[in-house]
Amino acid sequence: MQLASSLLAIMLYLVCTLQIWRRLRTRVVGDAVGCGRNIAVLWIVALILHGIALYTNIVTPGGLSLGITHALSLVGWVVALMVLIALHSRPVEGLGLILLPFAALTIAVELIFPGERILPQSGGKVLAIHVFISLLASSLFVIAALQAGLLWYQDRRLRTHRPGGLLRALPPLQHTESLLFQTIALGFVLLTAALVTGLTFINQFFTMAAPQRTLLFISSWVVFGTLLIGRWRFGWRGRIAIRWTLTGFAILLVAYLSARLFAVLAAGS
């Protein structure tokens, strides 16, 4: 059941990606927001199948299993869900060209490397809430990083006076930028909550390499906070926003991967 759900979800994600690509190539500026009923149905079915596979892998008799590949697949599912919800009110269809293959890739990686890391029962609900909020924040910053990539693409095409191609199907530059900062603001709130709930396990910060990981998470929080203040006080936008967004995401990614790597090494020892 789990294998069939995973393979079908991968296939549907890729079919959706192809359909979105075809739709964007033929769509003209001014078309209605949305991705088409057929694409939406396939997208929803893919999410359901992906969710079934995730539930089977994560919820075990021994507790919640959140190994690095399971966590990555969960991030892929949340990202795909968030973009689908956003499609009802915003023209973010172009993000599906990157996010849906990303979600499919996370499933494939989970199938190939079915790692396992059972959350300790001692943490209780607070630890579960901390992990859940952290994954939501990570998902939003994945979306923000991809939005920054689209913003860079739009800015470069406009600066080089090449407005054709896929650019004409993407939302206006100002709209993409506004959505980017809204995503970052929400992600910043969740990252703040994740850091606060993480203080409950302050004793774990003094284990080997934990201070470095904590410093990286805080550094990412400072970067995104500075970007939001710069936007509010000084009107930061364009290339400045792109650089700060990608820098904050890179720090957060290194922090997350180092945390997972340490967990794997600790389990092996």
Side-chain angles (χ1 to χ4, degrees), residues 43 75-86 92 95-96 98-99 102 135-151 176 179-184 186-187 224 245-246 249 252:
W43 199 324
V75 168
W77 184 84
V78 172
V79 163
L81 176 63
M82 287 181 173
V83 175
L84 179 63
I85 293 173
V92 293
L95 290 176
I98 304 173
L99 293 173
F102 169 74
L135 289 173
L136 282 180
S138 300
S139 302
L140 282 169
F141 286 124
V142 168
I143 296 175
L146 292 175
Q147 287 175 322
L150 282 179
L151 192 61
T176 304
L179 184 61
L180 169 66
F181 278 98
Q182 291 175 16
T183 305
I184 291 174
L186 181 56
F224 285 118
T245 301
L246 295 180
F249 176 73
L252 188 64

Side-chain angles (χ1 to χ4, degrees), residues 145-166:
L146 292 175
Q147 287 175 322
L150 282 179
L151 192 61
W152 173 84
Y153 172 79
Q154 290 177 280
D155 180 73
R156 181 171 180 177
R157 292 296 294 259
L158 291 174
R159 287 178 182 272
T160 56
H161 306 288
R162 293 184 294 168
L166 182 61

Side-chain angles (χ1 to χ4, degrees), residues 7-263:
L7 294 177
L8 283 174
I10 292 174
M11 182 186 70
L12 290 178
Y13 277 140
L14 296 180
V15 170
C16 283
T17 304
L18 179 60
Q19 293 299 321
I20 291 173
W21 170 251
R22 289 176 177 173
R23 179 180 170 86
L24 289 178
R25 288 188 63 185
T26 58
R27 191 178 73 180
V28 297
V29 177
D31 272 1
V33 175
C35 62
R37 179 173 298 178
N38 293 336
I39 296 176
V41 170
L42 291 175
W43 199 324
I44 292 171
V45 175
L47 281 169
I48 292 173
L49 292 171
H50 190 175
I52 292 172
L54 271 173
Y55 182 84
T56 304
N57 287 326
I58 293 178
V59 180
T60 69
L64 296 180
S65 174
L66 272 179
I68 184 170
T69 56
H70 296 337
L72 183 64
S73 182
L74 182 57
V75 168
W77 184 84
V78 172
V79 163
L81 176 63
M82 287 181 173
V83 175
L84 179 63
I85 293 173
L87 277 171
H88 288 284
S89 58
R90 298 183 179 277
V92 293
E93 189 177 350
L95 290 176
L97 293 176
I98 304 173
L99 293 173
L100 293 183
F102 169 74
L105 179 62
T106 63
I107 300 175
V109 171
E110 187 180 27
L111 284 174
I112 298 172
F113 305 103
E116 183 177 279
R117 183 193 177 205
I118 305 298
L119 291 183
Q121 297 292 337
S122 58
K125 292 182 179 180
V126 177
L127 178 57
I129 291 173
H130 169 72
V131 172
F132 179 71
I133 294 175
S134 299
L135 289 173
L136 282 180
S138 300
S139 302
L140 282 169
F141 286 124
V142 168
I143 296 175
L146 292 175
Q147 287 175 322
L150 282 179
L151 192 61
W152 173 84
Y153 172 79
Q154 290 177 280
D155 180 73
R156 181 171 180 177
R157 292 296 294 259
L158 291 174
R159 287 178 182 272
T160 56
H161 306 288
R162 293 184 294 168
L166 182 61
L167 186 63
R168 67 180 183 179
L170 295 175
L173 190 67
Q174 185 176 3
H175 187 96
T176 304
E177 191 174 78
S178 175
L179 184 61
L180 169 66
F181 278 98
Q182 291 175 16
T183 305
I184 291 174
L186 181 56
F188 180 77
V189 171
L190 291 174
L191 182 59
T192 303
L195 288 173
V196 171
T197 55
L199 292 176
T200 306
F201 310 100
I202 191 69
N203 59 308
Q204 297 181 12
F205 291 175
F206 296 96
T207 58
M208 189 173 72
Q212 290 83 347
R213 299 198 312 269
T214 304
L215 181 61
L216 285 171
F217 281 117
I218 294 175
S219 298
S220 177
W221 180 83
V222 170
V223 168
F224 285 118
T226 303
L227 174 58
L228 291 173
I229 293 174
R231 170 73 169 185
W232 172 57
R233 292 285 296 174
F234 309 111
W236 287 0
R237 54 180 300 178
R239 294 185 175 184
I240 296 178
I242 295 171
R243 292 193 191 102
W244 279 80
T245 301
L246 295 180
T247 299
F249 176 73
I251 296 173
L252 188 64
L253 182 63
V254 171
Y256 181 79
L257 291 178
S258 65
R260 292 297 175 180
L261 178 60
F262 176 73

